[in-house]
């Protein structure tokens, strides 16, 4: 006749974010490594060549870290005051950094002292970058100017003073050797062509611009400032494509994933948000302990490094793909050796008689099937409380059968304490509350 | 049939199968069971009903094989007759009338619960109808039920139980031994007897008790030195006991719906067959020992192989105590859907009177225990195309705690059944009063929408949403809108035909909502009385909204003018629109009897009034579309042509209307006999029959064509009957000869032939029934309910003209095949 029907365990829909490919991708990092720096970390830059060391600019030092080292491999500390924006050249051999005193220094990765010094800015230089032709440097400073330098001769080629406030961010085009972009606290982002005297394009961001980013294609420009991240279409003459307002404090840094499919933004609200560049929707979000000043992704997204205002550098490495076959399976005779006629191939005229499928019951179901109510309750209470929904479902089943009182009765101190511990822990959960309150009433009533 | 037939109320859905113990035929090929006024013969192998033995005019209370001739069956009924049947052919052989007995009925009715066991000597007269006058009282004051009485080994004694007493009557010594038990013991035992069975080979009586004990009595021919042993497994009443043929095992069953087999009367050797569905009422074993069968309260007979494995299930319409879901139609199969087994929905095909399947809604282990708060299935609704099924189940404890669950089922084309899609806990804070789907056409792909109304003063709109994520695509239902009106409890909800309007009634007010924006459009109120039923008009009358109030008003509002169109004072219980026409059926209840009114909303005058359709209150009604529109002669009953109205009364009788007369309805089901007709009418058999016939007629034609033709035409019933009566009931050939020749002769009085044969049959029984005087006993039940009289259907034969037609048909075809 009809089979025993197992206890229905109520499943509740999981609230919160759904599991998507993105969450899986961005969650597959190891637990972060925290490195304490001397001051707020204002720039992190990965070397473009393997083994992809990264330069961290904090206070008056530039530390170079290897991928897995917690100690700096190398330190550049020839700065009298704060250093800013240590950036690698495309070949990974040179490093340039601005400084509070207005001097730009060029280092060899392997050297210790500066190869060149570029004097000319009167105030702190917050942004420096190499142009793509490798022989020129762009800089932006608090004296409202941005300058172009020739590396070998250490001379100023051109100076633009179009911004009305501090120039705090900028970047160079990867496609065009003559294009660069600067963002300023005067709420504008300007695009310069070094062949011309003036800026070629200006876009109004609306807030002091903290970070700018050019897409690898060069067609899209991203600017961050205030709570907004804005995406501009350069090819359409600087038209606003989308304005993202997902942070509730100033956005300080921007970064693209290596594939260019995802845009990351870090903010003083201690969050890093990941946007899809197709839909500009937030697909994932990271939480950090302090306000974020800088953010960098290693090539192939192998490492996320985040620098914070409290001087902590947070490094997350991607989990290695665990090889499933780490433990070789025990050699056992195959299943088929135990079943007679298992490997018999049915012939055309054979009539196949299928065996009834045996359903395997859980232990509590087996006990409930034989009406051993106390034991069934014991079994589900023992299960280390990892599955409270099963425990409550069994309690509900017992209540439906009218035997809950019997199952609760006759318990000694230890058994009762297990039960009470369960009740105390889960009675506050709304999905279990009605049932557990009833159980508690029964226990107290005795 | 020019004169319009009156509309008759007809019962349908079959009667209770578990009213009496079923009996097996000697070879266990057939199972015979009493069902209402009929005895039904089922094949044990195919579960099909082979014959229906019709003839009793009241409830059949017991059936028993004739021990002298195992092809015959005795049945006794509340109409005061015992009938003898040949069940393989389905022929009535003999009727014994008990006028004296009916007198006794009168007596027994005066003294409540006073039953006597009498022995009836069956008279040995050749007539088909005989009166039994020789009665002798055996036991006085016995239990009401047949299972309280049992015959002992070789009919030497009879045991009967009532209350706390076991009575044993020895036929030879004519002495009665009475054994009594104390009412209760210290351990709280309840010693009342419930049933009794006797060992077929030994002197041993098994008795069942109310507390679940079984006692095996031995040595009971002594008044003092009797002994008994106790078997105890059942935790509730033992409903029935039966010994296997050899007496090696005892079967018992009860409320737990577990069949227990006790071997050798030992407490340790027992086997179980659990989860049989519902309370076991009767158990019987087949004479050849291969099968057992159990009759259950849910109108089911299970045939069980002696190795305790279920072999076949004969399932009738489950008639629960209360049909909470009402009557619903499955749009896909046109089956009637209502509460079945506890926690199940049954799909019942009305055309074939067969249960299609059970759908397990609650999906929980059913605990068979009296007084347990079980989960009830209270509401069910189908979407218009039958793709979705919504069910609501509730479990009420102490009136305060209410567990509600709404489930939505999707029809799976591959498995051809419903699969659970969404489970919603506590859809409302209080009882769900109504739910309905929005009827959307397949073409305009509107999202499926469901509305539930609850006593918590809200109605909720549920829609199917796509909540598939990257892993797996999934569809689920979620709440879209919650509406309320001054926090009055919502009592009814109903969508208009095109699904653009939703009407929800809140106590005395009907609110109409736009189903696109869920805005309240207007309200209707007809002050006195709360709204009980609500429905929209259909087709040309779709601008009308109808409502009934509990103080006896039927109101019709015009949705275009937002005004009351008309109202009538009518105490309407049930309001049911026909999905295929504008017609609306209303069943009203007056002081006594329910009346049916059928009307169109655009005119307040009903075009069909049927007074007093039944005496009880009508609980619910439903229109079921017919597969083929019925041709109905009279204009008045034209409303029944496209769909049929079924309704369910308080006493759980499923009734419907029929325009055909009683005879017309009965003819197809009461095929008279015989081997020839029970042969499957395969083309091959037709061909063969034709061929044979040709040969015969050729031979005959040589002799005398004219005579043979006339013989075939006129004397056929007699000859046929002669040929097809089983040989063992035939008298000697010499006796038959004259009659046969008589029938062959061309005579003017055709009728005589049949009568003569009848006489022959009766005579043939002379040889038997010498000693079955004590075999037929009737317990006289006092509650006779002479409501239904099916007329006198003693023997219905195919009329001659019909037979001719049949023959013609048979001759007509297939000659070309023979030519090949």
């Amino acid at each position: 006749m009809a089979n025993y029907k197992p206890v229905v365990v109520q499943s509740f829909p999981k609230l919160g974010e759904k599991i998507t490919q993105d969450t899986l991708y961005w969650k597959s990092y190891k637990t972060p490594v925290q490195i304490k720096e001397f001051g707020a970390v204002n720039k992190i830059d990965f070397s473009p060549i393997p083994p992809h060391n990264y330069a961290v600019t904090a206070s008056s030092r530039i530390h170079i870290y290897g991928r897995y080292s917690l100690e700096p491999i190398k330190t550049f500390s020839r700065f009298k005051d704060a250093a800013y924006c240590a950036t690698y050249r495309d070949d990974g051999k040179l490093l340039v950094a601005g400084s509070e005193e207005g001097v730009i220094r060029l280092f060899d990765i392997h050297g210790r002292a500066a190869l060149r010094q570029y004097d000319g800015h009167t105030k702190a230089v917050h942004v420096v970058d190499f142009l793509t032709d490798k022989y020129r440097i762009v800089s932006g400073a608090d004296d409202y100017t941005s300058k172009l330098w020739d590396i070998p001769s250490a001379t100023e080629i051109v100076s633009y003073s179009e911004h009305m406030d501090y120039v705090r961010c900028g970047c160079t085009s990867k496609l065009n050797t003559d294009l660069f972009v600067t963002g300023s606290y005067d709420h504008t982002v300007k695009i310069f062509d070094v062949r011309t005297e003036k800026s070629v394009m200006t876009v109004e961001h609306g807030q002091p611009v903290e970070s700018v980013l050019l897409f690898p294609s060069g067609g899209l420009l991203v600017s961050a400032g205030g709570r907004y991240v804005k995406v501009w279409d350069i090819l359409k003459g600087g038209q606003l494509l989308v304005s993202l307002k997902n942070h509730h404090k100033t956005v300080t840094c921007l970064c693209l994933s290596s594939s260019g499919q995802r845009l990351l933004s870090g903010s003083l609200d201690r969050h890093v948000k990941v946007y899809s560049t197709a839909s500009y929707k937030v697909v994932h979000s990271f939480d950090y302990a302090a306000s974020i000043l800088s953010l960098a992704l290693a090539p192939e997204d192998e490492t996320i490094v985040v620098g914070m205002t409290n001087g902590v550098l947070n490094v997350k490495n991607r989990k290695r793909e665990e090889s499933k076959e780490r433990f070789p399976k025990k050699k056992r005779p195959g299943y088929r050796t135990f079943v007679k006629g298992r490997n018999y191939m049915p012939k055309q005229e054979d009539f196949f008689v299928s065996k009834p499928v045996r359903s395997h019951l859980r232990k509590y179901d087996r006990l409930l099937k034989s009406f051993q109510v106390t034991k069934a309750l014991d079994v589900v209470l023992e299960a280390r409380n990892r599955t409270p929904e099963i425990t409550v479902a069994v309690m509900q089943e017992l209540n439906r059968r009218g035997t809950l009182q019997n199952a609760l009765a006759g318990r000694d101190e230890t058994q009762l304490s297990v039960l009470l511990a369960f009740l105390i822990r889960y009675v506050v959960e709304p999905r279990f509350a009605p049932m557990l309150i009833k159980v508690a009433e029964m226990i107290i009533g005795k | 049939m020019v004169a319009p037939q009156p509309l008759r109320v007809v019962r349908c859905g079959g009667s209770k199968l578990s009213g009496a113990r079923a009996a097996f035929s000697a070879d266990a090929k057939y199972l015979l069971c009493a069902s209402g006024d009929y005895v039904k013969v089922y094949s044990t192998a195919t579960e099909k009903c082979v014959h229906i033995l019709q003839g009793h005019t009241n409830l059949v209370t017991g059936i028993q094989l004739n021990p002298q001739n195992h092809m015959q069956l005795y049945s006794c009924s509340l109409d005061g007759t015992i009938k003898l049947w040949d069940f393989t052919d389905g022929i009535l052989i003999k009727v014994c009338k008990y006028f004296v007995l009916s007198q006794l009925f009168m007596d027994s009715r005066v003294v409540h619960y006073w039953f006597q066991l009498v022995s009836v000597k069956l008279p040995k007269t050749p007539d088909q109808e005989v009166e039994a006058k020789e009665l002798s009282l055996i036991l006085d004051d016995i239990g009401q039920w047949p299972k309280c009485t049992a015959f002992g080994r070789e009919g030497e004694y009879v045991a009967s139980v009532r209350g706390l007493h076991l009575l044993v009557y020895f036929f030879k010594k004519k002495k009665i031994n009475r054994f009594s038990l104390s009412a209760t013991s210290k351990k709280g035992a309840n010693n009342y007897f419930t049933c009794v069975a006797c060992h077929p080979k030994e002197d041993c009586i098994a008795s069942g008790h109310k507390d679940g004990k079984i006692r095996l009595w031995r040595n009971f021919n002594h008044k003092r030195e009797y002994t008994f042993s106790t078997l105890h497994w059942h935790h509730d009443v033992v409903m029935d006991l039966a010994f296997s043929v050899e007496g090696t095992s005892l079967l018992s069953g009860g409320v737990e719906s577990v069949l227990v087999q006790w071997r050798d009367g030992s407490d340790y050797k027992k086997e179980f067959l659990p989860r049989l569905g519902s309370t076991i009422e009767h158990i019987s074993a087949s004479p050849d020992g291969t099968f057992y069968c159990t009759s259950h309260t849910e109108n089911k007979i299970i045939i069980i192989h002696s190795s305790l494995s279920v072999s076949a299930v004969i399932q009738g319409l489950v008639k629960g105590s209360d049909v909470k879901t009402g009557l619903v139609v499955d749009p896909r199969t046109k089956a009637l859907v209502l509460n079945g087994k506890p926690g199940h929905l049954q799909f019942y095909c009305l055309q074939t009177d067969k249960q299609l399947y059970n759908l397990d809604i609650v999906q929980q282990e059913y605990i068979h225990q009296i007084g347990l708060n079980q989960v009830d299935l209270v509401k069910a609704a189908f979407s218009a195309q039958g793709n979705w099924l919504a069910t609501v189940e509730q479990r009420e404890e102490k009136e305060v705690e209410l567990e509600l669950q709404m489930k939505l089922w999707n029809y799976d084309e591959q498995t051809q059944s419903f699969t659970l899609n969404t489970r919603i806990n506590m859809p409302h804070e209080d009882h769900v009063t109504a739910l309905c789907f929005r009827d959307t056409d397949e073409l305009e792909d509107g999202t499926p929408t469901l509305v539930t109304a609850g006593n918590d003063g809200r109605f909720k709109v549920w829609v199917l949403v796509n909540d598939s994520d990257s892993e797996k695509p999934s569809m689920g239902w979620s709440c879209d809108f919650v509406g309320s009106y001054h926090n009055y409890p919502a009592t009814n909800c109903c969508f208009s035909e095109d699904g653009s309007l939703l009407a929800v009634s809140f106590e005395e007010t009907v609110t109409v909502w736009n189903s696109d924006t869920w805005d309240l459009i207007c309200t209707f109120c007809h002050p006195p009385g709360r709204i009980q039923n609500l429905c929209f008009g259909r087709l040309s009358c779709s601008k009308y909204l109808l409502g009934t109030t509990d103080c006896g008003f039927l109101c019709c509002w015009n949705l275009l003018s937002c005004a009351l169109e008309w109202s009538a004072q009518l105490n309407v219980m049930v309001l049911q629109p026909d999905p295929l026409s504008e017609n609306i059926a209303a069943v009203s209840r007056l002081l006594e009897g329910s009346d049916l009114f059928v009307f169109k909303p655009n005119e307040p005058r009903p075009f069909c009034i049927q007074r007093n359709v039944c005496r009880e209150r009508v609980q619910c009604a439903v229109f079921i579309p017919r597969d083929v529109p019925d041709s109905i002669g009279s204009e008045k009953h034209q409303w029944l042509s496209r769909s049929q109205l079924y309704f369910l009364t308080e006493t759980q009788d499923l009734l419907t209307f029929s325009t055909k007369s009683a005879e017309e309805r009965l003819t197809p089901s009461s095929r008279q006999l015989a081997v020839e007709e029970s042969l499957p009418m395969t083309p091959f058999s037709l061909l063969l029959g034709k061929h044979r016939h040709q040969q015969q007629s050729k031979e005959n034609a040589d002799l005398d064509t004219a005579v043979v033709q006339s013989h075939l035409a006129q004397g056929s019933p007699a000859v046929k009957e002669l040929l097809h009566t089983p040989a063992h009931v035939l008298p000697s050939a010499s006796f038959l000869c004259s009659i046969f020749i008589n029938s062959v002769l061309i005579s003017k009085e055709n009728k005589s032939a049949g009568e003569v044969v009848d006489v022959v049959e009766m005579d043939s029984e002379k040889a038997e029934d010498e000693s079955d005087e004590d075999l037929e006993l009737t317990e006289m039940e006092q509650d006779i309910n002479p409501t239904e009289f099916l007329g006198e259907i003693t023997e219905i034969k195919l009329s001659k003209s019909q037979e001719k037609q049949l023959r013609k048909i048979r001759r007509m075809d297939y000659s070309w095949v023979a030519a090949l």
Side-chain angles (χ1 to χ4, degrees), chain A residues 228-240:
Chain A
Y228 294 89
V229 173
K230 292 185 178 179
V231 183
W232 313 86
D233 191 340
I234 302 173
L235 301 180
K236 275 192 181 171
Q239 194 183 12
L240 180 65

Side-chain angles (χ1 to χ4, degrees), chain A residues 398-432:
Chain A
L398 293 176
N399 181 44
R400 188 178 70 83
R401 294 181 173 204
T403 48
L404 185 56
Q405 190 94 45
N406 300 3
L408 292 173
R411 283 170 184 274
D412 62 17
E413 211 168 302
T414 47
Q415 286 172 314
L416 206 57
S417 64
V418 173
L419 182 61
L420 287 175
F422 180 83
L423 284 181
I424 289 163
R425 183 162 169 198
Y426 289 108
V427 79
V428 289
E429 278 200 37
R431 54 183 177 158
F432 303 142

Side-chain angles (χ1 to χ4, degrees), chain B residues 560-600:
Chain B
L560 298 178
S561 61
C562 290
L564 185 70
E565 190 87 0
W566 53 268
S567 74
Q569 188 153 21
L570 199 62
N571 187 20
V572 176
M573 293 282 118
V574 176
L575 192 69
Q576 185 68 34
D578 183 359
L580 296 178
S581 64
E582 296 99 339
N583 304 331
I584 289 177
V587 182
S588 80
R589 169 103 181 128
L590 284 175
L591 289 172
E592 203 162 277
S594 301
D595 303 333
L596 173 80
F597 299 86
V598 185
F599 58 94
K600 288 185 179 172

Side-chain angles (χ1 to χ4, degrees), chain A residues 156-328:
Chain A
E156 182 185 317
I157 298 169
V158 67
S159 174
Y160 299 99
S161 50
E162 285 185 26
H163 282 296
M164 315 295 284
D165 206 336
Y166 301 154
V167 179
R168 282 287 168 91
C169 55
C171 69
T172 55
S173 166
K174 294 272 182 285
L175 293 178
N176 193 318
T177 53
D178 296 321
L179 274 184
F180 71 96
V181 182
T182 55
S184 159
Y185 277 12
D186 65 356
H187 303 186
T188 60
V189 176
K190 288 184 189 284
I191 301 174
F192 296 97
D193 188 336
V194 294
R195 295 163 293 194
T196 58
E197 292 292 313
K198 300 195 108 195
S199 68
V200 290
M201 191 184 288
T202 304
V203 292
E204 276 289 333
H205 180 78
Q207 275 84 24
V209 182
E210 296 283 354
S211 181
V212 289
L213 189 74
L214 271 173
F215 267 66
S217 65
L220 293 179
L221 170 73
V222 187
S223 63
R227 296 170 56 195
Y228 294 89
V229 173
K230 292 185 178 179
V231 183
W232 313 86
D233 191 340
I234 302 173
L235 301 180
K236 275 192 181 171
Q239 194 183 12
L240 180 65
L241 202 64
V242 68
S243 172
L244 307 168
K245 189 184 168 191
N246 294 96
H247 289 281
H248 55 269
K249 279 187 185 171
T250 304
V251 182
T252 52
C253 48
L254 292 171
C255 171
L256 270 179
S257 76
S258 57
S259 64
Q261 302 287 312
R262 298 286 179 267
L263 173 71
L264 285 81
S265 68
S267 154
L268 294 180
D269 65 0
R270 305 180 310 188
H271 288 286
V272 170
K273 307 253 177 199
V274 183
Y275 308 86
S276 158
T277 52
S279 62
Y280 293 106
K281 294 260 167 63
V282 175
V283 292
H284 192 68
S285 167
F286 298 97
D287 284 4
Y288 286 95
S291 300
I292 294 159
L293 281 182
S294 54
L295 163 75
L297 267 179
E300 305 303 320
D301 303 338
E302 288 295 315
T303 314
I304 301 177
V305 186
V306 166
M308 287 173 272
T309 47
N310 59 359
V312 172
L313 191 68
N314 186 306
V315 184
K316 280 184 189 171
N317 282 309
R318 182 170 286 280
K319 281 179 193 163
R320 295 271 118 225
E321 284 295 317
E322 299 226 346
S323 53
K324 292 275 167 63
E325 299 299 312
R326 187 178 289 176
F327 303 103

Side-chain angles (χ1 to χ4, degrees), chain B residues 439-451:
Chain B
D439 296 352
T440 42
D441 297 336
E442 290 281 319
L443 298 173
E444 61 158 308
D445 45 1
T447 51
T449 307
L450 172 75
V451 170

